[in-house]
Amino acid sequence: MTTAEVLMRRARPEDALRIAALARWVWLDRYAIDGVNGDVADYLRREFDEQALRQALDLGRHWLVERGDTLLAWAQLDDASPCPVDVGGPAVELKRLYVSPRSQGQGLGARVLRQCRQEWPEQPLWLSAWVGNEDALRFYRREGAAYWGETWFELGGEQHRNEVLGWPALERLE
């Protein structure tokens, strides 16, 4: 293992290939419990398409954690996605926070989550997480997320219950 320092930075378009690979790896590890069928393969191709990611990375709403040239974690924010529960105003979605399976438990997720919360400090931050992903739910609750409600994710005609978790807007330091 290399002894290079772990760094966090904004993602750039040239990071798209590594992000797509990491995203597929983490998604399969957490959600493809019974294997990979056509619906799962199609979802991964569509959601983690390198070219689409490359274009999205130009918007600057993505953060990376890496050691040397090795991608360890990725987070994606979306300030245009409406929260599925009423939070009394606009909120920012933590669309994805993926940490490579072998890098979990090292504080990387907490580090990038703190950065994401600081992006729009005047707005609440929310996410949805599948109820079967107990590790993720436990992590977010440990980081102070509160239960805000539920929503449903559809894949291949099947509905999957997700919890909506969130944090209030950060108080501005005067």
Side-chain angles (χ1 to χ4, degrees):
M1 168 164 273
T2 181
T3 58
E5 186 178 356
V6 173
L7 300 173
M8 183 171 37
R9 65 171 174 84
R10 285 195 187 276
R12 299 183 294 261
E14 57 269 21
D15 298 314
L17 179 63
R18 292 185 308 142
I19 291 171
L22 175 75
R24 289 176 178 142
W25 178 22
V26 172
W27 201 96
L28 287 167
D29 183 68
R30 289 292 159 186
Y31 303 112
I33 296 167
D34 296 325
V36 179
N37 63 26
D39 293 322
V40 167
D42 186 55
Y43 177 83
L44 293 174
R45 179 186 49 77
R46 185 177 63 251
E47 288 296 311
F48 306 121
D49 175 74
E50 181 187 348
Q51 293 307 319
L53 278 169
R54 186 177 304 280
Q55 292 172 353
L57 292 172
D58 275 334
L59 300 175
R61 296 184 175 114
H62 301 253
W63 286 92
L64 300 182
V65 177
E66 55 192 355
R67 180 182 294 114
D69 65 351
T70 301
L71 180 59
L72 305 174
W74 164 59
Q76 176 186 10
L77 295 166
D78 184 350
D79 65 332
S81 181
C83 186
V85 297
D86 184 14
V87 295
V92 176
E93 180 184 11
L94 178 59
K95 193 167 183 86
R96 296 188 173 93
L97 194 166
Y98 290 171
V99 177
S100 70
R102 293 188 178 162
S103 299
Q104 293 174 8
Q106 299 175 22
L108 303 178
R111 184 174 170 188
V112 74
L113 176 60
R114 281 191 298 275
Q115 182 62 47
C116 289
R117 290 197 63 208
Q118 294 172 14
E119 280 291 298
W120 283 280
E122 70 283 356
Q123 293 184 28
L125 182 71
W126 70 275
L127 61 93
S128 66
W130 176 48
V131 296
N133 192 350
E134 295 171 4
D135 290 340
L137 293 171
R138 193 169 27 257
F139 164 75
Y140 292 123
R141 287 190 181 106
R142 188 174 60 242
E143 294 299 319
Y147 176 83
W148 286 1
E150 68 179 27
T151 189
W152 296 87
F153 173 77
E154 183 175 329
L155 181 63
E158 291 185 29
Q159 297 281 324
H160 305 275
R161 189 167 73 84
N162 284 10
E163 288 190 7
V164 177
L165 303 174
W167 296 264
L170 294 173
E171 294 181 10
R172 290 195 178 270
L173 299 175
E174 300 293 328

